[in-house]
Amino acid sequence: MEAAPPEKAGLEPLRRQAAAPQVHPDLSGAKTKSLNVMFNYNGHSWDAYEVLGVPAGASLKLVTEAYQTAIRRSDKESLEFLETAYKAILNKSA
């Protein structure tokens, strides 16, 4: 004997209830924290990490090493700009 299909036997097919989509806790609507540190210099807006050539959110040790390397390699005209970028990161982390 053949079994009748569920529709014909009066049974409704099982339906899966759509589960609510799972959202990663980092993306659950919590306010995101920007790792960039912006500062103004000479009428323009700059990213301090980019100026020093390190990734956004880098450790203070890495930032300090990059700053010291940058001031050794730069001319006197750039020192104030580099110092402003370095101080912006220090102020943000304090």
Side-chain angles (χ1 to χ4, degrees), residues 11-78:
L11 300 175
E12 291 185 27
L14 294 177
R15 296 183 186 195
R16 291 186 183 184
Q17 290 191 1
Q22 293 183 353
V23 178
H24 192 276
D26 291 343
L27 304 174
S28 64
K31 199 170 188 180
T32 58
K33 181 179 178 184
S34 175
L35 297 177
N36 296 3
V37 176
M38 304 304 288
F39 70 100
N40 291 318
Y41 184 82
N42 201 20
H44 298 282
S45 187
W46 300 89
D47 181 348
Y49 287 107
E50 188 175 320
V51 168
L52 296 176
V54 294
S59 68
L60 285 178
K61 180 181 177 186
L62 183 62
V63 170
T64 302
E65 291 171 0
Y67 169 68
Q68 291 171 348
T69 302
I71 59 173
R72 280 193 301 263
R73 293 180 178 174
S74 68
D75 54 6
K76 291 182 181 181
E77 296 174 359
S78 300

